[in-house]
Amino acid sequence: MRSMVLAVITALALSVVAFAQNGPSTLPKCLQDAAPFNVDVREVAIAKVLPFLGAGCGIEIRVENVEGTEAVRTMPRVQFQQTKPADVFLMFGRSSGLKYTVLDDKTILVTKQ
């Protein structure tokens, strides 16, 4: 079980680079420059975690119309150690079949692809 979780996390981490290169727009600078942090949550959907990633620097991340994606499925555990919020945001978006649009310096809209 551990090796499967590690393999999934590794694959998702590698997809962050591809998503960042092909992302619809650049994330706000304060989210990109935010210090690494730890995440350890249980029994939560990714759609519920995304808004907290921008809260540290005053960014509103709105998640809309994501029904039918992996983002609404409850994950038994989500854990990261010393990871930048922008990397977590990009990985969650890519792995859940979501896209994002930066509306302004303080607002990001996340929807289905």
Side-chain angles (χ1 to χ4, degrees):
M1 179 66 178
R2 270 189 162 184
S3 62
M4 183 176 79
V5 171
L6 182 58
V8 169
I9 289 174
T10 302
L12 294 175
L14 292 175
S15 69
V16 168
V17 174
F19 187 67
Q21 292 173 347
N22 298 320
S25 54
T26 303
L27 292 173
K29 185 164 176 45
C30 71
L31 188 59
Q32 292 179 34
D33 295 343
F37 71 129
N38 297 330
V39 174
D40 189 3
V41 292
R42 296 172 193 265
E43 301 298 323
V44 67
I46 289 173
K48 302 276 187 193
V49 174
L50 288 174
F52 292 103
L53 297 176
C57 63
I59 294 178
E60 176 189 11
I61 298 176
R62 296 189 335 228
V63 181
E64 298 178 358
N65 302 319
V66 296
E67 298 78 20
T69 67
E70 287 294 311
V72 297
R73 186 172 65 90
T74 299
M75 304 289 289
R77 185 173 189 187
V78 176
Q79 181 179 24
F80 294 95
Q81 297 278 325
Q82 292 300 302
T83 308
K84 295 188 100 186
D87 293 340
V88 175
F89 175 83
L90 293 172
M91 186 187 67
F92 281 164
R94 180 73 172 152
S95 67
S96 299
L98 304 175
K99 67 177 181 176
Y100 71 92
T101 304
V102 177
L103 301 177
D104 57 45
D105 288 344
K106 295 293 181 184
T107 312
I108 300 172
L109 176 63
V110 178
T111 59
K112 280 190 226 185
Q113 282 190 1

